[in-house]
Amino acid sequence: METGIKLFIPCFLDQLAPRVARAVTGLLDHLNVAWGYPEDQTCCGQFAWTVGDGATARRLMRHFLRVFAGAETILCPSASCTYLVRHCYPQLAEGLKEQRAVAALASRVMELGEWLASRGPLPWASKFEGCLVLHQSCKARQLGVLPQAREVLSRVQGLKLLTVSPYYSCCGFGGTFSLQHPGLSRDIGEAYLAAFTATGAGGLVSLDYSCLLHLQGLGVAPARDLKFYHLAEIMTRSENPPSQA
């Protein structure tokens, strides 16, 4: 059995979409991977960083360092939170005593899709009959993990991946952007959903469920019968659910 995985579950998943976290733990169990969940973990500081509250972001960074000290691999089902830890923590820690610890942390934090791609095919056949659009979230693009996500999803039997025009590159969430500019955020989201609907796909699959929560919150999805999935939820679907080895 593999060991050394510590799960970093974003606070928004813990509070708003716990089924995604359960899909992640189920996936690891099916892979016979030992994992741990440090219960005193909290927000990584993304919202504080976004609004320019460096003091709060640094306090949360220091807490993250304490919680995940010694973890061989820190696995996160969110491209945006992974991006913050990997690329923004070094800026927060610049000139501080934590700078060396943060530098060592970057290589140990992995987004779920890139981690799955590095392992190769799953030992079971994932199945999904239908068409989905892979949501190209802003942070997934910046993190550079969308090719790995496509590779992983290409192995799902029956799944056809479609794409939205690159003109519609953002769902309108942007973390605090949706709070600071709610009208514009909604307009962007509705335009994105219209472009997505035009593809004929029945749903969206994403590495960032925060984007999907925003799109669901626009209130138009039920009328269009649109479905929303995290990558982990697709990879655990099969005619014969995998059993733990």
Side-chain angles (χ1 to χ4, degrees):
M1 175 179 286
E2 295 183 37
T3 60
I5 297 286
K6 296 297 182 184
L7 281 179
F8 166 35
I9 302 296
C11 50
F12 65 87
L13 286 182
D14 178 58
Q15 296 295 312
L16 301 173
R19 76 172 194 280
V20 173
R22 288 193 293 269
V24 174
T25 59
L27 184 61
L28 294 178
D29 287 343
H30 297 330
L31 288 168
N32 201 31
V33 172
W35 55 271
Y37 173 77
E39 294 187 2
D40 52 347
Q41 64 181 277
T42 183
C43 178
C44 62
Q46 182 170 177
F47 283 97
W49 168 261
T50 303
V51 299
D53 184 356
T56 298
R58 288 186 185 90
R59 177 171 57 82
L60 292 168
M61 175 193 73
R62 292 185 177 106
H63 181 72
F64 188 97
L65 288 170
R66 289 193 296 270
V67 168
F68 290 99
E72 295 177 21
T73 300
I74 304 165
L75 189 61
C76 180
S78 166
S80 61
C81 293
T82 302
Y83 181 88
L84 183 91
V85 174
R86 194 181 289 176
H87 294 285
C88 300
Y89 273 12
Q91 298 177 57
L92 282 168
E94 188 173 355
L96 302 178
K97 63 180 181 180
E98 292 87 3
Q99 188 168 357
R100 182 174 297 179
V102 165
L105 183 74
S107 63
R108 294 169 19 229
V109 179
M110 295 196 72
E111 184 274 323
L112 180 66
E114 66 177 338
W115 181 80
L116 285 173
S118 71
R119 295 177 53 87
L122 296 174
W124 65 84
S126 300
K127 298 179 186 296
F128 185 97
E129 293 297 331
C131 300
L132 295 176
V133 165
L134 173 59
H135 176 53
Q136 302 185 59
S137 69
C138 302
K139 285 297 183 286
R141 294 199 308 273
Q142 290 176 308
L143 190 61
V145 294
L146 285 170
Q148 293 94 317
R150 292 190 189 94
E151 178 185 346
V152 170
L153 289 167
S154 70
R155 303 170 186 149
V156 178
Q157 297 181 13
L159 173 61
K160 181 178 181 181
L161 279 182
L162 303 177
T163 57
V164 170
S165 165
Y167 177 79
Y168 302 93
S169 58
C170 179
C171 68
F173 176 51
T176 56
F177 176 82
S178 63
L179 301 177
Q180 295 167 323
H181 307 282
L184 180 57
S185 174
R186 183 178 184 88
D187 288 346
I188 294 172
E190 289 182 344
Y192 181 89
L193 282 178
F196 155 56
T197 303
T199 69
L204 278 167
V205 57
S206 179
L207 304 177
D208 276 310
Y209 206 81
S210 53
C211 297
L212 303 188
L213 288 169
H214 166 68
L215 293 170
Q216 291 176 67
L218 298 179
V220 300
R224 301 181 188 180
D225 194 28
L226 305 179
K227 307 298 182 183
F228 301 90
Y229 305 95
H230 187 275
L231 176 73
E233 296 178 287
I234 297 298
M235 303 315 297
T236 52
R237 292 171 68 106
S238 64
E239 291 180 356
N240 298 305
S243 59
Q244 186 172 349

